[in-house]
Amino acid sequence: MLKHYFLDNCIEAGTDEAGRGCIAGPVTAAAVLLSKNFSNELLTDSKLLSEKNRLSLRPIIIEDAVSYSVTHIEPLIIDEINILNASLKAMQESILKLNTIPQHIIVDGNRPLISKGSLSNTIGRIYTEGEVELLHSIPSTSIIKGDSKYLSIAAASVLAKTFRDDYMEKIHEEFPMYNWKKNKGYPTKEHRAAILKYGVTKYHRKTFRLLPEQLTLEI
């Protein structure tokens, strides 16, 4: 059974991202503040759940959440600030969009929520001075495999994954030859074969290895 909180007696939000290893589409993060009495035996790391179970959990999480938010960071920004900073930015923006300001944040992974370069103010959403101060003022704890240990991080992982999947299915209609509704932007053989045949799109991450090393592509 997953734990409710890392710190007791405070307003704690969990945050996680999805799509970091993809070569197309956004990196997507969610932040979730669950009610104190929330309980669900099915909820765990979204990667361990079937698509059916993720989709069944999403409305349960949304209905129970005191506050939640989801943020997509587009490939242009990923290419500009790198995938690590883009992932952190997606989580930071999700925290800023919560209706309730948390007193503590738990983050999936081993990187701090605020790290050097992760508050880039040169592209994408430009943080105000107040938003930068707010992000610095809220303590956070990074937890390795936190999405399989804490309910709020697991809930964030489910929302990030399902909303990103929705996004990929939508842009699949624009570029069906890449089959994003199935591969969700991950570097499958089929996806890379389509890149070789049709080239890249505005949704591809140009700084990523889009093709195997022995093949080259003009971008």
Side-chain angles (χ1 to χ4, degrees):
M1 179 70 75
L2 275 63
K3 298 176 183 177
H4 273 80
Y5 303 106
F6 182 81
L7 294 180
D8 292 326
N9 302 316
C10 77
I11 302 171
E12 188 173 82
T15 185
D16 197 8
E17 53 76 24
R20 192 167 160 180
C22 297
I23 58 175
V27 62
T28 301
V32 181
L33 256 166
L34 292 171
S35 66
K36 291 185 179 294
N37 61 355
F38 179 80
S39 179
N40 189 289
E41 293 184 359
L42 178 61
L43 180 59
T44 187
D45 173 6
S46 64
K47 295 185 291 296
L48 303 178
L49 296 167
S50 67
E51 181 180 16
K52 179 181 178 182
N53 284 339
R54 287 194 298 267
L55 289 173
S56 69
L57 280 166
R58 181 164 70 176
I60 295 171
I61 294 166
I62 289 173
E63 184 176 346
D64 176 86
V66 174
S67 184
Y68 79 94
S69 66
V70 179
T71 302
H72 301 295
I73 300 294
E74 304 297 340
L76 182 67
I77 300 173
I78 294 171
D79 288 335
E80 180 71 23
I81 65 175
N82 78 45
I83 186 60
L84 172 59
N85 284 330
S87 299
L88 293 172
K89 187 174 179 66
M91 290 190 280
Q92 293 160 5
E93 290 191 22
S94 293
I95 293 295
L96 289 172
K97 290 191 288 189
L98 291 172
N99 294 329
T100 301
I101 299 173
Q103 297 169 318
H104 183 247
I105 304 162
I106 48 177
V107 186
D108 183 57
N110 60 358
R111 299 278 186 170
L113 182 64
I114 309 298
S115 64
K116 186 177 180 181
S118 72
L119 291 179
S120 172
N121 248 6
T122 59
I123 191 169
R125 173 172 173 172
I126 306 300
Y127 294 146
T128 65
E129 224 176 276
E131 287 172 335
V132 171
E133 288 178 7
L134 178 61
L135 288 169
H136 277 296
S137 72
I138 306 172
S140 63
T141 303
S142 299
I143 302 167
I144 297 173
K145 296 184 179 179
D147 47 8
S148 60
K149 296 176 182 176
Y150 291 92
L151 286 168
S152 61
I153 302 180
S157 77
V158 168
L159 295 190
K161 171 63 176 168
T162 55
F163 278 101
R164 185 182 187 279
D165 284 355
D166 287 351
Y167 184 106
M168 297 307 296
E169 288 172 15
K170 182 177 180 180
I171 64 173
H172 166 86
E173 302 303 320
E174 190 176 350
F175 294 99
M177 66 282 284
Y178 300 97
N179 203 14
W180 289 330
K181 70 178 180 181
K182 181 179 179 182
N183 62 54
K184 302 301 189 289
Y186 282 92
T188 62
K189 287 183 179 180
E190 177 190 37
H191 188 179
R192 282 183 157 152
I195 292 172
L196 187 61
K197 183 175 182 180
Y198 299 106
V200 298
T201 70
K202 60 186 177 182
Y203 297 113
H204 282 100
R205 303 174 184 178
K206 309 300 191 301
T207 55
F208 280 50
R209 183 185 297 168
L210 301 179
L211 294 175
E213 287 182 343
Q214 65 269 28
L215 297 173
T216 59
L217 184 72
E218 288 191 14
I219 298 178

